[in-house]
Amino acid sequence: RLSATITPSKSLSFQAQDQDARVAKKEVGPTAAPFRGPFDLRLGFSDIGDAKAPVAARLGRQELAFCEQRLLGHVAWVNTGRSWDAARMILRAKGWQADVFGASLVRSLPDEFDKSGNGNRLAGVYAASANVIPQAAVEPYVFWRRDVNLRSELGTVGTLSQTTVGTRVAGKLPARLDYGVEMALQRGGLAADSLNTWAGHWQIRESLPGAGAIKLTSEYNFATGDDNPTDGVRQTFDQLYPTGHDKLGLGDQVGWRNIHHLREGFEFSPFKATPISLNYHTWWLAEKTDGLYASSGTQIARVAGGAGSAHVGQEIDVQITRPLTQQLQLAAGYAHMFTGAFLEQATPGASYSYPYVMVTYVFLAER
């Protein structure tokens, strides 16, 4: 990715980012987007107004990412990332900010210029305030999604019109506790189908005093599934366009759809600036008549007529980061997923391992 910024004045700037992503000898699985995206314009926008202006705007091809990116993120982890052709207005006042936008997803087209449109639309308002609850940020939002030529449960092809209303609250409690809660409700329709879904995220973390910088985390996530895939009522939560990496497990085999997810985590630093995290995950389907969805939102396993068990499986994650120099950082991790009764019925039932090593170098110009 090659980026350039031009700043004629304090209240006006232009940014562009070209990207070239190619696959080298990849022989397993897909080789198109998000793995391959030959030279193209990934970002190209103008900013009007500075970071403190009461009204500012960003116009053009840009990233959209809010809070923990559970519903809307840039997916920087993958080769090509995600961008939008969008108009965005930022409104600021004392103690709050609101982002209002209208956008169309940019499709990665390896053999031609990347384009938006094709019937997809996303509009929304995302607000944030630190004045509503003491020692907490409150972030309400509304997203409206439209897409065309989708098949309904009743077999007809129609247009999706879906509204997501939600709120995220994150703050601190006594006794060195901090918490995060996010809940979202979806309503709308697709052809003759109606939509009735919701999802939630609840987390609490304790930072223990003393050596080792120990942190203990408990987390529960839920998203509705469909108990009858042919009744004309769509009940599987739509996770929209998230950055799904490591939200429900480092292996990225489970997404925020039709799921009960429990996580218990432990983090400590045996050496200065060297955090090590250990996490245990376990999952159950919310509805056995629905399927399992990956972090991308794609269904990857389902038992026709309904599964005999809702238990998907368990996962153990280990991650460590270590700065080697002021500019060079090393990170590594390993995830191992143990299949439960559902996966053993729906798939060959093999376990899944995901190791990685990552080296990050920060150029002096970026510090």
Side-chain angles (χ1 to χ4, degrees), residues 251-278:
D252 289 345
Q253 297 303 293
V254 180
W256 204 19
R257 310 187 72 185
N258 187 40
I259 204 72
H260 293 277
H261 166 239
L262 180 65
R263 170 194 170 203
E264 298 295 334
F266 174 77
E267 181 181 309
F268 69 106
S269 298
F271 310 104
K272 184 178 179 181
T274 309
I276 300 174
S277 64
L278 306 172

PDB file of all heavy atoms in Angstrom, residues 251-278:
ATOM      1  N   GLY A 251      -9.044 -18.436  16.080  1.00  0.00           N
ATOM      2  CA  GLY A 251      -9.079 -19.216  14.852  1.00  0.00           C
ATOM      3  C   GLY A 251     -10.050 -18.709  13.810  1.00  0.00           C
ATOM      4  O   GLY A 251     -10.041 -19.186  12.667  1.00  0.00           O
ATOM      5  N   ASP A 252     -10.932 -17.751  14.171  1.00  0.00           N
ATOM      6  CA  ASP A 252     -11.881 -17.112  13.248  1.00  0.00           C
ATOM      7  C   ASP A 252     -12.839 -18.098  12.584  1.00  0.00           C
ATOM      8  O   ASP A 252     -13.311 -17.868  11.472  1.00  0.00           O
ATOM      9  CB  ASP A 252     -11.127 -16.332  12.160  1.00  0.00           C
ATOM     10  CG  ASP A 252     -10.458 -15.082  12.700  1.00  0.00           C
ATOM     11  OD1 ASP A 252     -10.816 -14.669  13.821  1.00  0.00           O
ATOM     12  OD2 ASP A 252      -9.571 -14.532  12.023  1.00  0.00           O
ATOM     13  N   GLN A 253     -13.166 -19.186  13.262  1.00  0.00           N
ATOM     14  CA  GLN A 253     -14.092 -20.162  12.711  1.00  0.00           C
ATOM     15  C   GLN A 253     -15.537 -19.912  13.140  1.00  0.00           C
ATOM     16  O   GLN A 253     -16.445 -20.609  12.675  1.00  0.00           O
ATOM     17  CB  GLN A 253     -13.677 -21.574  13.143  1.00  0.00           C
ATOM     18  CG  GLN A 253     -12.311 -21.992  12.631  1.00  0.00           C
ATOM     19  CD  GLN A 253     -12.233 -21.906  11.109  1.00  0.00           C
ATOM     20  OE1 GLN A 253     -12.891 -22.660  10.402  1.00  0.00           O
ATOM     21  NE2 GLN A 253     -11.431 -20.987  10.621  1.00  0.00           N
ATOM     22  N   VAL A 254     -15.753 -18.940  14.024  1.00  0.00           N
ATOM     23  CA  VAL A 254     -17.094 -18.667  14.553  1.00  0.00           C
ATOM     24  C   VAL A 254     -17.393 -17.177  14.449  1.00  0.00           C
ATOM     25  O   VAL A 254     -16.575 -16.343  14.850  1.00  0.00           O
ATOM     26  CB  VAL A 254     -17.221 -19.134  16.015  1.00  0.00           C
ATOM     27  CG1 VAL A 254     -18.618 -18.835  16.555  1.00  0.00           C
ATOM     28  CG2 VAL A 254     -16.904 -20.629  16.132  1.00  0.00           C
ATOM     29  N   GLY A 255     -18.567 -16.842  13.911  1.00  0.00           N
ATOM     30  CA  GLY A 255     -18.985 -15.450  13.791  1.00  0.00           C
ATOM     31  C   GLY A 255     -20.142 -15.129  14.723  1.00  0.00           C
ATOM     32  O   GLY A 255     -20.672 -16.000  15.440  1.00  0.00           O
ATOM     33  N   TRP A 256     -20.593 -13.871  14.682  1.00  0.00           N
ATOM     34  CA  TRP A 256     -21.633 -13.352  15.580  1.00  0.00           C
ATOM     35  C   TRP A 256     -23.003 -13.589  14.964  1.00  0.00           C
ATOM     36  O   TRP A 256     -23.766 -12.659  14.714  1.00  0.00           O
ATOM     37  CB  TRP A 256     -21.375 -11.872  15.833  1.00  0.00           C
ATOM     38  CG  TRP A 256     -21.960 -11.346  17.109  1.00  0.00           C
ATOM     39  CD1 TRP A 256     -22.363 -12.043  18.203  1.00  0.00           C
ATOM     40  CD2 TRP A 256     -22.206  -9.971  17.414  1.00  0.00           C
ATOM     41  NE1 TRP A 256     -22.836 -11.195  19.175  1.00  0.00           N
ATOM     42  CE2 TRP A 256     -22.749  -9.917  18.721  1.00  0.00           C
ATOM     43  CE3 TRP A 256     -22.004  -8.774  16.733  1.00  0.00           C
ATOM     44  CZ2 TRP A 256     -23.103  -8.710  19.338  1.00  0.00           C
ATOM     45  CZ3 TRP A 256     -22.344  -7.588  17.342  1.00  0.00           C
ATOM     46  CH2 TRP A 256     -22.887  -7.556  18.641  1.00  0.00           C
ATOM     47  N   ARG A 257     -23.339 -14.852  14.706  1.00  0.00           N
ATOM     48  CA  ARG A 257     -24.619 -15.245  14.120  1.00  0.00           C
ATOM     49  C   ARG A 257     -25.001 -16.611  14.687  1.00  0.00           C
ATOM     50  O   ARG A 257     -24.174 -17.530  14.721  1.00  0.00           O
ATOM     51  CB  ARG A 257     -24.547 -15.323  12.590  1.00  0.00           C
ATOM     52  CG  ARG A 257     -23.959 -14.108  11.885  1.00  0.00           C
ATOM     53  CD  ARG A 257     -24.080 -14.211  10.380  1.00  0.00           C
ATOM     54  NE  ARG A 257     -25.474 -14.039   9.954  1.00  0.00           N
ATOM     55  CZ  ARG A 257     -25.885 -14.169   8.696  1.00  0.00           C
ATOM     56  NH1 ARG A 257     -25.030 -14.522   7.748  1.00  0.00           N
ATOM     57  NH2 ARG A 257     -27.159 -13.998   8.389  1.00  0.00           N
ATOM     58  N   ASN A 258     -26.234 -16.764  15.153  1.00  0.00           N
ATOM     59  CA  ASN A 258     -26.755 -18.045  15.646  1.00  0.00           C
ATOM     60  C   ASN A 258     -25.786 -18.699  16.633  1.00  0.00           C
ATOM     61  O   ASN A 258     -25.387 -19.854  16.469  1.00  0.00           O
ATOM     62  CB  ASN A 258     -27.013 -19.002  14.470  1.00  0.00           C
ATOM     63  CG  ASN A 258     -27.713 -20.275  14.934  1.00  0.00           C
ATOM     64  OD1 ASN A 258     -28.605 -20.251  15.769  1.00  0.00           O
ATOM     65  ND2 ASN A 258     -27.289 -21.419  14.394  1.00  0.00           N
ATOM     66  N   ILE A 259     -25.438 -17.982  17.694  1.00  0.00           N
ATOM     67  CA  ILE A 259     -24.373 -18.504  18.556  1.00  0.00           C
ATOM     68  C   ILE A 259     -24.557 -18.082  20.010  1.00  0.00           C
ATOM     69  O   ILE A 259     -25.058 -16.995  20.305  1.00  0.00           O
ATOM     70  CB  ILE A 259     -22.993 -18.030  18.031  1.00  0.00           C
ATOM     71  CG1 ILE A 259     -21.886 -18.981  18.495  1.00  0.00           C
ATOM     72  CG2 ILE A 259     -22.714 -16.600  18.412  1.00  0.00           C
ATOM     73  CD1 ILE A 259     -21.890 -20.306  17.803  1.00  0.00           C
ATOM     74  N   HIS A 260     -24.184 -18.989  20.908  1.00  0.00           N
ATOM     75  CA  HIS A 260     -23.872 -18.693  22.300  1.00  0.00           C
ATOM     76  C   HIS A 260     -22.364 -18.876  22.433  1.00  0.00           C
ATOM     77  O   HIS A 260     -21.825 -19.926  22.047  1.00  0.00           O
ATOM     78  CB  HIS A 260     -24.559 -19.671  23.258  1.00  0.00           C
ATOM     79  CG  HIS A 260     -26.054 -19.569  23.297  1.00  0.00           C
ATOM     80  ND1 HIS A 260     -26.725 -18.639  24.067  1.00  0.00           N
ATOM     81  CD2 HIS A 260     -27.012 -20.305  22.669  1.00  0.00           C
ATOM     82  CE1 HIS A 260     -28.031 -18.808  23.917  1.00  0.00           C
ATOM     83  NE2 HIS A 260     -28.225 -19.811  23.068  1.00  0.00           N
ATOM     84  N   HIS A 261     -21.674 -17.896  22.996  1.00  0.00           N
ATOM     85  CA  HIS A 261     -20.214 -17.968  23.105  1.00  0.00           C
ATOM     86  C   HIS A 261     -19.774 -17.538  24.497  1.00  0.00           C
ATOM     87  O   HIS A 261     -20.163 -16.466  24.981  1.00  0.00           O
ATOM     88  CB  HIS A 261     -19.560 -17.057  22.062  1.00  0.00           C
ATOM     89  CG  HIS A 261     -18.096 -16.808  22.308  1.00  0.00           C
ATOM     90  ND1 HIS A 261     -17.589 -15.540  22.497  1.00  0.00           N
ATOM     91  CD2 HIS A 261     -17.038 -17.657  22.416  1.00  0.00           C
ATOM     92  CE1 HIS A 261     -16.283 -15.623  22.691  1.00  0.00           C
ATOM     93  NE2 HIS A 261     -15.929 -16.891  22.645  1.00  0.00           N
ATOM     94  N   LEU A 262     -18.962 -18.357  25.136  1.00  0.00           N
ATOM     95  CA  LEU A 262     -18.411 -18.049  26.456  1.00  0.00           C
ATOM     96  C   LEU A 262     -16.893 -18.025  26.357  1.00  0.00           C
ATOM     97  O   LEU A 262     -16.285 -18.946  25.791  1.00  0.00           O
ATOM     98  CB  LEU A 262     -18.849 -19.096  27.480  1.00  0.00           C
ATOM     99  CG  LEU A 262     -18.334 -18.899  28.916  1.00  0.00           C
ATOM    100  CD1 LEU A 262     -18.902 -17.621  29.525  1.00  0.00           C
ATOM    101  CD2 LEU A 262     -18.682 -20.118  29.763  1.00  0.00           C
ATOM    102  N   ARG A 263     -16.306 -16.976  26.901  1.00  0.00           N
ATOM    103  CA  ARG A 263     -14.848 -16.839  26.902  1.00  0.00           C
ATOM    104  C   ARG A 263     -14.358 -16.545  28.304  1.00  0.00           C
ATOM    105  O   ARG A 263     -14.922 -15.710  29.019  1.00  0.00           O
ATOM    106  CB  ARG A 263     -14.419 -15.693  25.979  1.00  0.00           C
ATOM    107  CG  ARG A 263     -12.941 -15.317  26.109  1.00  0.00           C
ATOM    108  CD  ARG A 263     -12.658 -13.990  25.439  1.00  0.00           C
ATOM    109  NE  ARG A 263     -11.321 -13.498  25.750  1.00  0.00           N
ATOM    110  CZ  ARG A 263     -10.947 -12.223  25.679  1.00  0.00           C
ATOM    111  NH1 ARG A 263     -11.822 -11.313  25.308  1.00  0.00           N
ATOM    112  NH2 ARG A 263      -9.730 -11.861  25.986  1.00  0.00           N
ATOM    113  N   GLU A 264     -13.266 -17.225  28.716  1.00  0.00           N
ATOM    114  CA  GLU A 264     -12.565 -16.934  29.957  1.00  0.00           C
ATOM    115  C   GLU A 264     -11.105 -16.665  29.602  1.00  0.00           C
ATOM    116  O   GLU A 264     -10.463 -17.482  28.928  1.00  0.00           O
ATOM    117  CB  GLU A 264     -12.662 -18.099  30.949  1.00  0.00           C
ATOM    118  CG  GLU A 264     -14.082 -18.430  31.378  1.00  0.00           C
ATOM    119  CD  GLU A 264     -14.743 -17.318  32.169  1.00  0.00           C
ATOM    120  OE1 GLU A 264     -14.024 -16.521  32.800  1.00  0.00           O
ATOM    121  OE2 GLU A 264     -15.994 -17.243  32.142  1.00  0.00           O
ATOM    122  N   GLY A 265     -10.577 -15.517  30.034  1.00  0.00           N
ATOM    123  CA  GLY A 265      -9.241 -15.123  29.629  1.00  0.00           C
ATOM    124  C   GLY A 265      -8.340 -14.759  30.781  1.00  0.00           C
ATOM    125  O   GLY A 265      -8.795 -14.323  31.854  1.00  0.00           O
ATOM    126  N   PHE A 266      -7.037 -14.933  30.557  1.00  0.00           N
ATOM    127  CA  PHE A 266      -6.000 -14.632  31.551  1.00  0.00           C
ATOM    128  C   PHE A 266      -4.830 -13.991  30.815  1.00  0.00           C
ATOM    129  O   PHE A 266      -4.322 -14.548  29.839  1.00  0.00           O
ATOM    130  CB  PHE A 266      -5.559 -15.930  32.244  1.00  0.00           C
ATOM    131  CG  PHE A 266      -4.401 -15.769  33.191  1.00  0.00           C
ATOM    132  CD1 PHE A 266      -4.578 -15.222  34.451  1.00  0.00           C
ATOM    133  CD2 PHE A 266      -3.121 -16.176  32.821  1.00  0.00           C
ATOM    134  CE1 PHE A 266      -3.517 -15.080  35.330  1.00  0.00           C
ATOM    135  CE2 PHE A 266      -2.046 -16.033  33.686  1.00  0.00           C
ATOM    136  CZ  PHE A 266      -2.249 -15.487  34.951  1.00  0.00           C
ATOM    137  N   GLU A 267      -4.411 -12.809  31.260  1.00  0.00           N
ATOM    138  CA  GLU A 267      -3.281 -12.118  30.647  1.00  0.00           C
ATOM    139  C   GLU A 267      -2.278 -11.719  31.721  1.00  0.00           C
ATOM    140  O   GLU A 267      -2.662 -11.249  32.800  1.00  0.00           O
ATOM    141  CB  GLU A 267      -3.751 -10.873  29.891  1.00  0.00           C
ATOM    142  CG  GLU A 267      -2.636 -10.105  29.189  1.00  0.00           C
ATOM    143  CD  GLU A 267      -3.118  -8.863  28.472  1.00  0.00           C
ATOM    144  OE1 GLU A 267      -4.089  -8.975  27.684  1.00  0.00           O
ATOM    145  OE2 GLU A 267      -2.545  -7.776  28.707  1.00  0.00           O
ATOM    146  N   PHE A 268      -0.989 -11.898  31.430  1.00  0.00           N
ATOM    147  CA  PHE A 268       0.049 -11.496  32.373  1.00  0.00           C
ATOM    148  C   PHE A 268       1.301 -11.127  31.599  1.00  0.00           C
ATOM    149  O   PHE A 268       1.443 -11.452  30.413  1.00  0.00           O
ATOM    150  CB  PHE A 268       0.338 -12.618  33.373  1.00  0.00           C
ATOM    151  CG  PHE A 268       1.012 -13.826  32.776  1.00  0.00           C
ATOM    152  CD1 PHE A 268       2.358 -14.083  33.003  1.00  0.00           C
ATOM    153  CD2 PHE A 268       0.293 -14.707  31.969  1.00  0.00           C
ATOM    154  CE1 PHE A 268       2.972 -15.192  32.440  1.00  0.00           C
ATOM    155  CE2 PHE A 268       0.896 -15.822  31.412  1.00  0.00           C
ATOM    156  CZ  PHE A 268       2.248 -16.066  31.651  1.00  0.00           C
ATOM    157  N   SER A 269       2.196 -10.419  32.260  1.00  0.00           N
ATOM    158  CA  SER A 269       3.463  -9.985  31.652  1.00  0.00           C
ATOM    159  C   SER A 269       4.615 -10.452  32.528  1.00  0.00           C
ATOM    160  O   SER A 269       5.010  -9.758  33.471  1.00  0.00           O
ATOM    161  CB  SER A 269       3.495  -8.463  31.493  1.00  0.00           C
ATOM    162  OG  SER A 269       2.464  -8.016  30.641  1.00  0.00           O
ATOM    163  N   PRO A 270       5.174 -11.641  32.266  1.00  0.00           N
ATOM    164  CA  PRO A 270       6.291 -12.131  33.089  1.00  0.00           C
ATOM    165  C   PRO A 270       7.549 -11.292  32.925  1.00  0.00           C
ATOM    166  O   PRO A 270       8.399 -11.257  33.813  1.00  0.00           O
ATOM    167  CB  PRO A 270       6.497 -13.554  32.562  1.00  0.00           C
ATOM    168  CG  PRO A 270       5.950 -13.529  31.173  1.00  0.00           C
ATOM    169  CD  PRO A 270       4.821 -12.556  31.195  1.00  0.00           C
ATOM    170  N   PHE A 271       7.665 -10.613  31.779  1.00  0.00           N
ATOM    171  CA  PHE A 271       8.774  -9.705  31.517  1.00  0.00           C
ATOM    172  C   PHE A 271       8.210  -8.363  31.085  1.00  0.00           C
ATOM    173  O   PHE A 271       7.094  -8.293  30.577  1.00  0.00           O
ATOM    174  CB  PHE A 271       9.698 -10.260  30.431  1.00  0.00           C
ATOM    175  CG  PHE A 271      10.125 -11.680  30.664  1.00  0.00           C
ATOM    176  CD1 PHE A 271       9.550 -12.710  29.931  1.00  0.00           C
ATOM    177  CD2 PHE A 271      11.079 -11.989  31.628  1.00  0.00           C
ATOM    178  CE1 PHE A 271       9.931 -14.013  30.141  1.00  0.00           C
ATOM    179  CE2 PHE A 271      11.460 -13.299  31.853  1.00  0.00           C
ATOM    180  CZ  PHE A 271      10.886 -14.314  31.108  1.00  0.00           C
ATOM    181  N   LYS A 272       8.946  -7.318  31.275  1.00  0.00           N
ATOM    182  CA  LYS A 272       8.483  -5.981  30.949  1.00  0.00           C
ATOM    183  C   LYS A 272       8.107  -5.883  29.464  1.00  0.00           C
ATOM    184  O   LYS A 272       8.841  -6.335  28.592  1.00  0.00           O
ATOM    185  CB  LYS A 272       9.576  -4.951  31.272  1.00  0.00           C
ATOM    186  CG  LYS A 272       9.138  -3.513  31.053  1.00  0.00           C
ATOM    187  CD  LYS A 272      10.240  -2.549  31.438  1.00  0.00           C
ATOM    188  CE  LYS A 272       9.800  -1.103  31.197  1.00  0.00           C
ATOM    189  NZ  LYS A 272      10.872  -0.140  31.551  1.00  0.00           N
ATOM    190  N   ALA A 273       6.945  -5.305  29.199  1.00  0.00           N
ATOM    191  CA  ALA A 273       6.448  -5.067  27.842  1.00  0.00           C
ATOM    192  C   ALA A 273       6.318  -6.356  27.030  1.00  0.00           C
ATOM    193  O   ALA A 273       6.481  -6.342  25.807  1.00  0.00           O
ATOM    194  CB  ALA A 273       7.348  -4.072  27.114  1.00  0.00           C
ATOM    195  N   THR A 274       6.010  -7.473  27.712  1.00  0.00           N
ATOM    196  CA  THR A 274       5.842  -8.752  27.018  1.00  0.00           C
ATOM    197  C   THR A 274       4.557  -9.423  27.501  1.00  0.00           C
ATOM    198  O   THR A 274       4.590 -10.373  28.291  1.00  0.00           O
ATOM    199  CB  THR A 274       7.052  -9.677  27.258  1.00  0.00           C
ATOM    200  OG1 THR A 274       8.261  -8.974  26.972  1.00  0.00           O
ATOM    201  CG2 THR A 274       6.976 -10.911  26.357  1.00  0.00           C
ATOM    202  N   PRO A 275       3.395  -8.943  27.071  1.00  0.00           N
ATOM    203  CA  PRO A 275       2.136  -9.554  27.515  1.00  0.00           C
ATOM    204  C   PRO A 275       1.900 -10.914  26.860  1.00  0.00           C
ATOM    205  O   PRO A 275       2.143 -11.096  25.664  1.00  0.00           O
ATOM    206  CB  PRO A 275       1.077  -8.538  27.086  1.00  0.00           C
ATOM    207  CG  PRO A 275       1.701  -7.804  25.939  1.00  0.00           C
ATOM    208  CD  PRO A 275       3.175  -7.754  26.220  1.00  0.00           C
ATOM    209  N   ILE A 276       1.436 -11.848  27.657  1.00  0.00           N
ATOM    210  CA  ILE A 276       1.035 -13.174  27.189  1.00  0.00           C
ATOM    211  C   ILE A 276      -0.424 -13.363  27.565  1.00  0.00           C
ATOM    212  O   ILE A 276      -0.808 -13.153  28.721  1.00  0.00           O
ATOM    213  CB  ILE A 276       1.893 -14.280  27.830  1.00  0.00           C
ATOM    214  CG1 ILE A 276       3.373 -14.084  27.472  1.00  0.00           C
ATOM    215  CG2 ILE A 276       1.420 -15.656  27.364  1.00  0.00           C
ATOM    216  CD1 ILE A 276       4.289 -15.056  28.178  1.00  0.00           C
ATOM    217  N   SER A 277      -1.252 -13.748  26.611  1.00  0.00           N
ATOM    218  CA  SER A 277      -2.673 -13.950  26.895  1.00  0.00           C
ATOM    219  C   SER A 277      -3.069 -15.393  26.596  1.00  0.00           C
ATOM    220  O   SER A 277      -2.634 -15.980  25.603  1.00  0.00           O
ATOM    221  CB  SER A 277      -3.535 -12.991  26.075  1.00  0.00           C
ATOM    222  OG  SER A 277      -3.411 -13.248  24.693  1.00  0.00           O
ATOM    223  N   LEU A 278      -3.886 -15.944  27.490  1.00  0.00           N
ATOM    224  CA  LEU A 278      -4.440 -17.284  27.339  1.00  0.00           C
ATOM    225  C   LEU A 278      -5.955 -17.158  27.371  1.00  0.00           C
ATOM    226  O   LEU A 278      -6.502 -16.500  28.272  1.00  0.00           O
ATOM    227  CB  LEU A 278      -3.972 -18.204  28.467  1.00  0.00           C
ATOM    228  CG  LEU A 278      -2.463 -18.315  28.695  1.00  0.00           C
ATOM    229  CD1 LEU A 278      -2.176 -19.117  29.967  1.00  0.00           C
ATOM    230  CD2 LEU A 278      -1.783 -18.964  27.508  1.00  0.00           C
TER     231      LEU A 278
END
